[in-house]
Amino acid sequence: MDEHNLDDKNKFLYPRSRYYGQVKPENLIFNANLQEFAQKVGYITSLEISGKLDPEDAYKQIKALWKELKRSKKGLFIGEEPGEKL
């Protein structure tokens, strides 16, 4: 597969939306993490709905992804006041 087709395939499988918020590095990183979370949750729910994934396994995977997203938010100091980053 040539480079152009691989790029098209990746854009199809992992679409990214524009970011319209306040442009700061931590916001851009969190936005990318949030989009990745949403994409993975979509895949997991599709697998569960189609019967290819047990509901309990789907729940556990989504819970793990949620915890990862929360760690990302906390590590990037999103939603904290500037003086709280110490």
Side-chain angles (χ1 to χ4, degrees), residues 27-43:
N27 290 352
L28 295 172
I29 292 169
F30 183 72
N31 180 265
N33 293 342
L34 184 60
Q35 288 189 47
E36 183 179 347
F37 168 80
Q39 187 72 36
K40 288 180 179 181
V41 168
Y43 288 145

Side-chain angles (χ1 to χ4, degrees), residues 8-34:
D8 287 344
K9 178 181 171 186
N10 284 335
K11 285 180 181 177
F12 176 76
L13 292 175
Y14 311 107
R16 296 283 182 200
S17 298
R18 286 189 60 191
Y19 178 66
Y20 293 97
Q22 183 181 9
V23 179
K24 296 191 310 190
E26 59 269 20
N27 290 352
L28 295 172
I29 292 169
F30 183 72
N31 180 265
N33 293 342
L34 184 60

Side-chain angles (χ1 to χ4, degrees), residues 25-26 29-30 33 71-78 85:
E26 59 269 20
I29 292 169
F30 183 72
N33 293 342
R71 276 192 303 270
S72 166
K73 180 181 180 279
K74 188 173 183 175
L76 293 167
F77 303 104
I78 303 292
K85 291 185 181 183

Side-chain angles (χ1 to χ4, degrees), residues 4 7 10 17 35 39 44 49 53 55 59-60 63-64 66 74 78:
H4 179 68
D7 188 44
N10 284 335
S17 298
Q35 288 189 47
Q39 187 72 36
I44 292 167
I49 289 168
L53 186 61
Y59 173 80
K60 287 177 182 176
K63 186 175 179 180
W66 178 252
K74 188 173 183 175
I78 303 292

Side-chain angles (χ1 to χ4, degrees), residues 54-76:
D54 181 67
E56 186 64 27
D57 290 337
Y59 173 80
K60 287 177 182 176
Q61 288 182 26
I62 292 171
K63 186 175 179 180
L65 289 172
W66 178 252
K67 286 182 177 182
E68 186 178 320
L69 185 65
K70 283 176 65 175
R71 276 192 303 270
S72 166
K73 180 181 180 279
K74 188 173 183 175
L76 293 167

